[in-house]
Amino acid sequence: MAPTGRHRTPGRRIGLALAGGGPEGAVYEIGALRALEESLEGLDLSDLHVYVGVSAGAFIAASLVNGITAAQMTRALVTHEPGEHPFVPSTFFTPAYREWFKRGLMVPGLLFDVVRKLREAPRDQTVMEAMTRLVRALPIGIFDNEPIRRFLAHSFALKGRSDDFRQLRHKLLVVSTDLGTGHAIRFGEPGWDHVPISRAVQASTALPGIYPPVNIEGRDCVDGVLLRTVHASVALEDGADLLLCVNPLVPADLGEEALGQRNDTIVKRGLPTVLSQTFRTLIHSRLQVGMSTYARRFPTADVLLFEPARTEYRMFFTNMFSFSSRKKVCELAYQSTRRDLLRRRAELEPVLERHGIRYRMNVLNDPRRTVWSGVGLEDAARPEQVVGTRTVAESLGSALEQLEAALKD
């Protein structure tokens, strides 16, 4: 059923496409979306024609379509909404104990096989060649993504929400990749709309090596970003006249500031940061190629992309276990998007006005405005916020201790 929100003009079809980026990408998207909904009159991010989410973007899109506003998600970063299930970083970073244990059980059998092969044909293979069989015992995921599914299932079970694609007022498409075929699976489309939304998001966020694949009806599903960055064409094919895209996945550009003693900042931070920068560079290059084709393929549609400046490298070197880091990323996204709207006003204003959306210049021109003041949390800069009977710092400290203990075992 087509949504009929009070801000919608007849025949207007607005879509939202959100890319991945892990927990920091999700936090960035929350801040960027809060800036958009606050700065643009006539835009209701919970009342759009179609939503497309990939990886962390699927997490945010599924929340928006269920009526959870960007303002609510912003507040949830520092305090709990009444009635909401507590959300802490351990939801994303729970060690995959069962996967580790299952793979560990394979080691004795694989070692026996290595010895047997060497004894049967000592000249056919070296010890190193035989030992490569042990690679099968490596865990296919470091963290468990089942807590992500449980969190969303609980959230979407609240009154007025749904974990069923078919019961939503607006169309939601969650994109994953079938690991066995390399093809996209669009959860929410006929044939895949019976899969619970929480399960689809779990599959879409399953980045190989970080989370194990999610088996759905015999298919091993992994992160949808393996195929495309934002899958914007999915929304355009569904008839979106205006498509807003948010992509946190841009490579860091340390620029002139990195010369001298800072020229090896990325390398010094180790393999994870090097891999992250490599992944972001590949993904962003692919996105630029894809965006350049939309004007030709969908000539009647307007596509607007919002993403961080590559020089905003602070968001790439954050610790999502840190309360202050999440706050900084959200504020950075909020202010970056506001600056982007002002800088591109001549380009964007006439496009948005065609779709019944206007700039709120009084909001954009307010230099004292922060993402927190806009949601009634002016004191959010305090180092600790109460979460039930425990502080955020205590909750995150506990989660970090659990992870460190697991890695030492």
Side-chain angles (χ1 to χ4, degrees):
M1 181 177 67
T4 55
R6 61 180 180 177
H7 296 306
R8 174 153 299 148
T9 55
R12 187 175 66 155
R13 291 171 172 246
I14 300 176
L16 179 67
L18 301 177
E24 67 271 21
V27 173
Y28 184 92
E29 288 179 341
I30 291 172
L33 292 171
R34 177 55 190 158
L36 291 176
E37 74 173 3
E38 185 183 60
S39 305
L40 301 176
E41 182 180 355
L43 177 65
D44 185 347
L45 292 175
S46 295
D47 184 26
L48 302 180
H49 171 67
V50 59
Y51 299 78
V52 178
V54 183
S55 194
F59 188 99
I60 303 299
S63 299
L64 286 170
V65 78
N66 263 293
I68 305 173
T69 66
Q72 287 176 293
M73 286 187 270
T74 300
R75 287 193 293 268
L77 292 175
V78 295
T79 185
H80 290 162
E81 293 286 297
E84 291 283 2
H85 184 59
F87 179 79
V88 293
S90 58
T91 302
F92 281 100
F93 298 118
T94 302
Y97 297 115
R98 282 185 291 184
E99 170 65 15
W100 297 357
F101 180 73
K102 181 178 72 174
R103 295 287 168 170
L105 292 177
M106 297 172 61
V107 173
L110 290 171
L111 280 173
F112 177 80
D113 189 48
V114 168
V115 174
R116 181 176 59 84
K117 291 290 184 181
L118 287 173
R119 291 183 62 183
E120 290 177 352
R123 297 181 180 180
D124 292 345
Q125 53 189 333
T126 65
V127 174
M128 288 304 299
E129 288 174 333
M131 292 293 286
T132 56
R133 296 175 182 274
L134 292 176
V135 172
R136 300 177 186 176
L138 292 176
I140 57 176
I142 300 173
F143 300 110
D144 186 5
N145 47 18
E146 182 62 19
I148 299 175
R149 186 203 63 77
R150 287 199 300 265
F151 172 83
L152 289 175
H154 178 93
S155 177
F156 297 160
L158 298 178
K159 185 177 181 181
R161 303 176 187 174
S162 177
D163 200 21
D164 190 329
F165 285 98
R166 298 164 296 187
Q167 295 180 5
L168 298 174
R169 288 186 59 229
H170 316 291
K171 189 166 186 176
L172 170 66
L173 296 169
V174 172
V175 185
S176 181
T177 302
D178 182 345
L179 190 60
T181 65
H183 296 155
I185 296 178
R186 299 176 180 179
F187 294 105
E189 287 190 341
W192 289 106
D193 55 359
H194 62 285
V195 176
I197 297 171
S198 56
R199 185 77 163 160
V201 173
Q202 179 190 15
S204 184
T205 57
L207 183 63
I210 305 300
Y211 298 109
V214 179
N215 190 278
I216 300 179
E217 299 182 3
R219 298 172 183 260
D220 288 322
C221 302
V222 295
D223 201 317
V225 80
L226 268 64
L227 296 175
R228 295 180 186 173
T229 308
V230 294
H231 289 264
S233 59
V234 176
L236 296 170
E237 290 167 359
D238 195 67
D241 302 315
L242 171 65
L243 181 62
L244 305 177
C245 304
V246 181
N247 171 47
L249 286 170
V250 301
D253 182 357
L254 305 187
E256 294 299 322
E257 293 185 37
L259 295 178
Q261 73 274 17
R262 297 190 54 166
N263 64 346
D264 57 351
T265 300
I266 290 177
V267 174
K268 278 188 174 180
R269 290 178 176 268
L271 181 61
T273 305
V274 171
L275 291 177
S276 174
Q277 176 75 341
T278 303
F279 180 72
R280 289 173 179 274
T281 302
L282 291 172
I283 290 295
H284 195 253
S285 175
R286 186 179 63 186
L287 171 66
Q288 291 176 317
V289 173
M291 294 292 291
S292 67
T293 68
Y294 294 145
R296 174 178 51 82
R297 295 174 57 195
F298 307 98
T300 62
D302 294 309
V303 181
L304 303 181
L305 174 64
F306 297 91
E307 57 185 10
R310 295 176 58 169
T311 52
E312 295 282 10
Y313 53 82
R314 288 172 296 167
M315 74 162 285
F316 307 117
F317 306 140
T318 57
N319 174 15
M320 285 296 105
F321 281 102
S322 165
F323 168 73
S324 61
S325 291
R326 287 186 293 148
K327 266 188 78 281
K328 288 177 182 176
V329 170
C330 191
E331 179 66 20
L332 182 152
Y334 175 81
Q335 298 296 352
S336 175
T337 305
R338 281 162 51 89
R339 289 193 299 270
D340 197 21
L341 286 168
L342 286 172
R343 179 177 60 83
R344 299 165 61 192
R345 182 183 178 187
E347 168 200 350
L348 299 183
E349 195 166 34
V351 174
L352 292 169
E353 286 184 351
R354 287 201 297 268
H355 301 276
I357 300 173
R358 292 177 175 79
Y359 269 54
R360 289 191 175 114
M361 294 308 301
N362 61 320
V363 173
L364 285 168
N365 285 329
D366 185 353
R368 295 173 298 179
R369 202 172 189 91
T370 69
V371 68
W372 313 111
S373 64
V375 296
L377 292 175
E378 289 82 357
D379 59 349
R382 292 186 304 174
E384 295 183 352
Q385 295 292 327
V386 174
V387 179
T389 59
R390 305 176 65 193
T391 66
V392 171
E394 290 170 343
S395 298
L396 298 188
S398 175
L400 185 56
E401 289 172 2
Q402 292 176 18
L403 179 60
E404 290 176 343
L407 294 176
K408 290 177 181 178
D409 291 342

